[in-house]
Amino acid sequence: MAYKRILTIQDISCVGQCSLTVALPILSASGLETCILPSAVLSTHTGGFKGYTFRDLTDDIPGIADHWESEGIKFDAVYSGYLGSARQIAYVKDITKRLASEGGLSIVDPAMADNGRLYVGFDQDFVEAMKSLVFSADIILPNITEACMLTGTEYRESYDRAYIDGLLESLESAGASTVILTGVSFAPGSTGVLVDEKGVRSYYEHRKIAKGCHGTGDIFASAFVGAMMGGRPLIDSAKIAADYTVLCIEGTQGDPGHWYGVKFEQGLPDYIRMLGL
Ligand code: PXL
């Protein structure tokens, strides 16, 4: 298998099992050379801790990108997750244009909202800026809330297949190419991933364990990118990522002290086995 180099751009939440502390180990476990660009350093994530510190690294990004360019460093994919500002979004677009190799992929997880609400610290201006990144990407991984915000669709707690198809069509007419829509549930007790490759749709249903487990979107997206960049079909990559994420959540349930994240580390050997490595 070709040895691919990927760049992932997201924050470092020092404690909290999300963003780079999840993406780096999972992508590395999938066999990719994983380069990182930390967009900010926070003491913890923003989803439930109080008084977290936040060091914005936006001003460091252009110099880092210039250095890589002067060294002739290129990436087979640029994968972005949680970003902190509209300026950072613009830098991700610029870096992708300058540093993705020929045929290199732009993969965007528009990590900004869940359960019908934006995460703390985001506003409508950020959503508008995110649209420009999402609708120029090759592959996007929104959840239903994010897809609604990106398309101006009303968010619903319960929905049917027609609503989801409408949401995917709105994403496509706004410019989306391949969409991996997560958290799509058509029956109580189950949820799933809808993979839409230019209008051709497949659904993978899996067990729903708990609502709103923190960091699961980052685990799923990283596991998906790791599988897909290894040359696996989109739907197979989505299945592996979903199965691994479910396994991690199962391994965390029953530990109320571990409310802030998911114990993804213990499932890494299973993820590697699922990849057949
Ligand atoms: O898991 C997404 C995420 C990443 N980074 C930070 C966050 C969140 C979600 O709340 O706060 C800093």
Side-chain angles (χ1 to χ4, degrees):
M1 197 186 295
Y3 184 58
K4 300 248 177 83
R5 178 189 294 138
I6 186 166
L7 170 64
T8 183
I9 309 176
Q10 14 195 332
D11 70 278
I12 293 179
S13 289
C14 300
V15 171
Q17 288 169 312
C18 67
S19 40
L20 273 185
T21 66
V22 162
L24 176 58
I26 292 177
L27 291 167
S28 298
S30 78
L32 297 169
E33 176 186 352
T34 308
C35 306
I36 60 166
L37 208 176
S39 55
V41 178
L42 294 86
S43 51
T44 65
H45 64 59
T46 66
F49 293 102
K50 289 192 185 66
Y52 51 83
T53 67
F54 178 90
R55 166 83 55 195
D56 185 357
L57 298 178
T58 308
D59 290 338
D60 292 306
I61 295 176
I64 292 171
D66 288 348
H67 180 223
W68 288 342
E69 189 166 44
S70 74
E71 292 285 340
I73 294 166
K74 294 272 187 185
F75 303 99
D76 296 300
V78 177
Y79 153 43
S80 63
Y82 184 102
L83 299 168
S85 66
R87 247 177 89 216
Q88 286 184 355
I89 291 174
Y91 283 140
V92 171
K93 280 178 73 176
D94 175 63
I95 286 173
T96 306
K97 210 179 298 160
R98 286 163 61 194
L99 301 180
S101 54
E102 214 177 301
L105 293 176
S106 153
I107 305 166
V108 176
D109 176 1
M112 60 182 178
D114 206 359
N115 301 312
R117 296 215 313 264
L118 281 169
Y119 294 145
V120 176
F122 291 123
D123 58 16
Q124 195 51 38
D125 287 347
F126 184 85
V127 176
E128 290 306 314
M130 186 54 88
K131 286 181 188 175
S132 71
L133 181 61
V134 158
F135 295 128
S136 61
D138 296 301
I139 301 178
I140 59 171
L141 297 114
N143 58 35
I144 293 181
T145 303
E146 289 154 350
C148 285
M149 290 178 175
L150 292 164
T151 55
T153 306
E154 183 202 349
Y155 174 77
R156 290 199 203 145
E157 289 275 332
S158 59
Y159 46 78
D160 56 12
R161 178 69 196 233
Y163 173 83
I164 295 298
D165 283 335
L167 194 52
L168 290 167
E169 274 146 32
S170 301
L171 285 167
E172 273 150 35
S173 45
S177 184
T178 291
V179 182
I180 315 296
L181 186 65
T182 58
V184 181
S185 170
F186 296 121
S190 84
T191 187
V193 193
L194 222 154
V195 174
D196 184 328
E197 197 174 7
K198 299 180 184 78
V200 181
R201 296 180 190 147
S202 337
Y203 181 60
Y204 179 60
E205 188 178 13
H206 58 85
R207 282 187 312 286
K208 175 154 73 183
I209 302 155
K211 213 178 157 200
C213 254
H214 199 279
T216 52
D218 300 346
I219 294 169
F220 174 84
S222 302
F224 171 84
V225 172
M228 192 269 308
M229 287 303 293
R232 295 164 190 87
L234 294 170
I235 188 69
D236 295 359
S237 304
K239 282 180 189 170
I240 290 172
D243 289 348
Y244 170 55
T245 306
V246 168
L247 197 129
C248 294
I249 297 170
E250 282 173 345
T252 310
Q253 272 189 322
D255 182 354
H258 208 93
W259 58 269
Y260 53 85
V262 171
K263 299 176 183 175
F264 71 96
E265 304 85 352
Q266 296 170 345
L268 279 173
D270 296 283
Y271 174 57
I272 292 168
R273 258 192 300 278
M274 289 177 208
L275 293 173
L277 297 176

